[in-house]
Short mmCIF file of all heavy atoms in Angstrom, two decimals:
data_model
loop_
_atom_site.label_atom_id
_atom_site.label_comp_id
_atom_site.label_asym_id
_atom_site.label_seq_id
_atom_site.Cartn_x
_atom_site.Cartn_y
_atom_site.Cartn_z
N ASN T 159 -60.05 -152.90 -70.43
CA ASN T 159 -60.17 -153.17 -71.88
C ASN T 159 -58.83 -153.06 -72.59
O ASN T 159 -58.52 -153.86 -73.49
CB ASN T 159 -61.22 -152.20 -72.51
CG ASN T 159 -61.63 -152.64 -73.88
OD1 ASN T 159 -62.02 -153.80 -74.08
ND2 ASN T 159 -61.49 -151.75 -74.87
N TYR T 160 -58.02 -152.09 -72.14
CA TYR T 160 -56.64 -151.93 -72.72
C TYR T 160 -55.72 -153.07 -72.29
O TYR T 160 -54.95 -153.53 -73.09
CB TYR T 160 -56.10 -150.57 -72.27
CG TYR T 160 -54.66 -150.40 -72.55
CD1 TYR T 160 -54.18 -150.09 -73.81
CD2 TYR T 160 -53.73 -150.50 -71.50
CE1 TYR T 160 -52.78 -149.95 -74.06
CE2 TYR T 160 -52.36 -150.32 -71.70
CZ TYR T 160 -51.91 -150.08 -72.99
OH TYR T 160 -50.56 -149.93 -73.23
N ALA T 161 -55.89 -153.47 -71.03
CA ALA T 161 -54.94 -154.49 -70.45
C ALA T 161 -55.38 -155.92 -70.86
O ALA T 161 -54.61 -156.87 -70.67
CB ALA T 161 -54.95 -154.38 -68.91
N LEU T 162 -56.53 -156.04 -71.49
CA LEU T 162 -57.06 -157.36 -71.87
C LEU T 162 -56.09 -158.14 -72.73
O LEU T 162 -55.79 -159.35 -72.45
CB LEU T 162 -58.42 -157.20 -72.56
CG LEU T 162 -59.19 -158.48 -72.85
CD1 LEU T 162 -59.58 -159.19 -71.55
CD2 LEU T 162 -60.46 -158.14 -73.60
N PHE T 163 -55.56 -157.54 -73.74
CA PHE T 163 -54.65 -158.20 -74.69
C PHE T 163 -53.36 -158.64 -74.01
O PHE T 163 -52.84 -159.75 -74.24
CB PHE T 163 -54.37 -157.34 -75.88
CG PHE T 163 -53.30 -157.93 -76.83
CD1 PHE T 163 -53.71 -158.91 -77.74
CD2 PHE T 163 -52.03 -157.54 -76.77
CE1 PHE T 163 -52.76 -159.48 -78.62
CE2 PHE T 163 -51.05 -158.11 -77.61
CZ PHE T 163 -51.44 -159.08 -78.55
N SER T 164 -52.85 -157.81 -73.15
CA SER T 164 -51.55 -158.07 -72.49
C SER T 164 -51.69 -159.26 -71.59
O SER T 164 -50.75 -160.11 -71.45
CB SER T 164 -51.11 -156.84 -71.65
OG SER T 164 -50.83 -155.79 -72.52
N ILE T 165 -52.84 -159.39 -70.86
CA ILE T 165 -52.99 -160.51 -69.95
C ILE T 165 -53.38 -161.80 -70.62
O ILE T 165 -52.96 -162.90 -70.27
CB ILE T 165 -54.02 -160.08 -68.85
CG1 ILE T 165 -53.46 -158.90 -68.02
CG2 ILE T 165 -54.28 -161.26 -67.92
CD1 ILE T 165 -54.47 -158.34 -67.06
N PHE T 166 -54.26 -161.70 -71.66
CA PHE T 166 -54.78 -162.90 -72.29
C PHE T 166 -54.22 -163.07 -73.74
O PHE T 166 -54.88 -163.71 -74.55
CB PHE T 166 -56.31 -162.80 -72.37
CG PHE T 166 -56.96 -162.97 -71.04
CD1 PHE T 166 -57.26 -161.88 -70.22
CD2 PHE T 166 -57.31 -164.24 -70.59
CE1 PHE T 166 -57.89 -162.03 -69.02
CE2 PHE T 166 -57.93 -164.40 -69.34
CZ PHE T 166 -58.22 -163.31 -68.55
N TYR T 167 -52.99 -162.54 -73.97
CA TYR T 167 -52.50 -162.66 -75.33
C TYR T 167 -52.21 -164.09 -75.76
O TYR T 167 -52.16 -164.43 -76.93
CB TYR T 167 -51.27 -161.75 -75.52
CG TYR T 167 -50.02 -162.29 -74.93
CD1 TYR T 167 -49.01 -162.97 -75.72
CD2 TYR T 167 -49.75 -162.21 -73.58
CE1 TYR T 167 -47.88 -163.48 -75.20
CE2 TYR T 167 -48.59 -162.70 -72.99
CZ TYR T 167 -47.63 -163.33 -73.84
OH TYR T 167 -46.45 -163.83 -73.27
N ARG T 168 -52.04 -164.98 -74.73
CA ARG T 168 -51.79 -166.37 -75.02
C ARG T 168 -53.11 -167.19 -75.23
O ARG T 168 -53.08 -168.39 -75.55
CB ARG T 168 -50.98 -167.05 -73.92
CG ARG T 168 -49.54 -166.60 -73.86
CD ARG T 168 -48.81 -167.32 -72.76
NE ARG T 168 -47.37 -166.93 -72.72
CZ ARG T 168 -46.41 -167.52 -73.45
NH1 ARG T 168 -46.73 -168.46 -74.30
NH2 ARG T 168 -45.16 -167.09 -73.33
N HIS T 169 -54.25 -166.53 -74.99
CA HIS T 169 -55.51 -167.17 -75.13
C HIS T 169 -56.46 -166.34 -75.98
O HIS T 169 -57.44 -165.75 -75.50
CB HIS T 169 -56.20 -167.36 -73.72
CG HIS T 169 -55.29 -168.06 -72.74
ND1 HIS T 169 -55.05 -169.43 -72.76
CD2 HIS T 169 -54.52 -167.51 -71.72
CE1 HIS T 169 -54.23 -169.75 -71.80
NE2 HIS T 169 -53.91 -168.60 -71.11
N PRO T 170 -56.18 -166.17 -77.26
CA PRO T 170 -56.94 -165.29 -78.13
C PRO T 170 -58.41 -165.68 -78.27
O PRO T 170 -59.21 -164.87 -78.56
CB PRO T 170 -56.21 -165.39 -79.51
CG PRO T 170 -55.45 -166.71 -79.42
CD PRO T 170 -55.08 -166.90 -77.98
N LYS T 171 -58.71 -166.98 -78.01
CA LYS T 171 -60.11 -167.44 -78.14
C LYS T 171 -60.99 -166.80 -77.07
O LYS T 171 -62.20 -166.72 -77.23
CB LYS T 171 -60.21 -168.96 -78.07
CG LYS T 171 -59.58 -169.62 -79.31
CD LYS T 171 -59.75 -171.17 -79.22
CE LYS T 171 -59.13 -171.82 -80.43
NZ LYS T 171 -59.30 -173.29 -80.42
N SER T 172 -60.41 -166.38 -76.00
CA SER T 172 -61.19 -165.80 -74.88
C SER T 172 -61.43 -164.31 -75.10
O SER T 172 -62.18 -163.68 -74.31
CB SER T 172 -60.51 -166.02 -73.53
OG SER T 172 -59.22 -165.44 -73.53
N PHE T 173 -60.79 -163.75 -76.12
CA PHE T 173 -60.91 -162.29 -76.31
C PHE T 173 -62.37 -161.84 -76.53
O PHE T 173 -62.84 -160.85 -75.95
CB PHE T 173 -60.10 -161.83 -77.53
CG PHE T 173 -58.58 -161.74 -77.24
CD1 PHE T 173 -57.68 -161.54 -78.25
CD2 PHE T 173 -58.12 -161.80 -75.92
CE1 PHE T 173 -56.34 -161.45 -77.98
CE2 PHE T 173 -56.74 -161.73 -75.69
CZ PHE T 173 -55.89 -161.54 -76.68
N VAL T 174 -63.06 -162.53 -77.41
CA VAL T 174 -64.40 -162.12 -77.77
C VAL T 174 -65.30 -162.04 -76.55
O VAL T 174 -66.00 -161.09 -76.29
CB VAL T 174 -65.00 -163.04 -78.86
CG1 VAL T 174 -66.48 -162.66 -79.11
CG2 VAL T 174 -64.18 -163.00 -80.10
N PHE T 175 -65.28 -163.12 -75.72
CA PHE T 175 -66.16 -163.16 -74.55
C PHE T 175 -65.75 -162.06 -73.57
O PHE T 175 -66.66 -161.31 -73.04
CB PHE T 175 -66.02 -164.51 -73.88
CG PHE T 175 -66.67 -164.61 -72.54
CD1 PHE T 175 -68.04 -164.67 -72.41
CD2 PHE T 175 -65.88 -164.54 -71.36
CE1 PHE T 175 -68.66 -164.69 -71.18
CE2 PHE T 175 -66.50 -164.56 -70.15
CZ PHE T 175 -67.85 -164.64 -70.03
N LEU T 176 -64.46 -161.91 -73.31
CA LEU T 176 -64.00 -160.92 -72.32
C LEU T 176 -64.21 -159.47 -72.79
O LEU T 176 -64.65 -158.60 -72.02
CB LEU T 176 -62.52 -161.11 -71.99
CG LEU T 176 -62.22 -162.45 -71.25
CD1 LEU T 176 -60.71 -162.67 -71.17
CD2 LEU T 176 -62.83 -162.42 -69.85
#
Side-chain angles (χ1 to χ4, degrees):
N159 193 50
Y160 167 77
L162 187 62
F163 175 78
S164 296
I165 296 175
F166 288 92
Y167 77 100
R168 289 182 178 273
H169 307 284
K171 291 183 179 180
S172 61
F173 283 170
V174 175
F175 171 75
L176 293 172

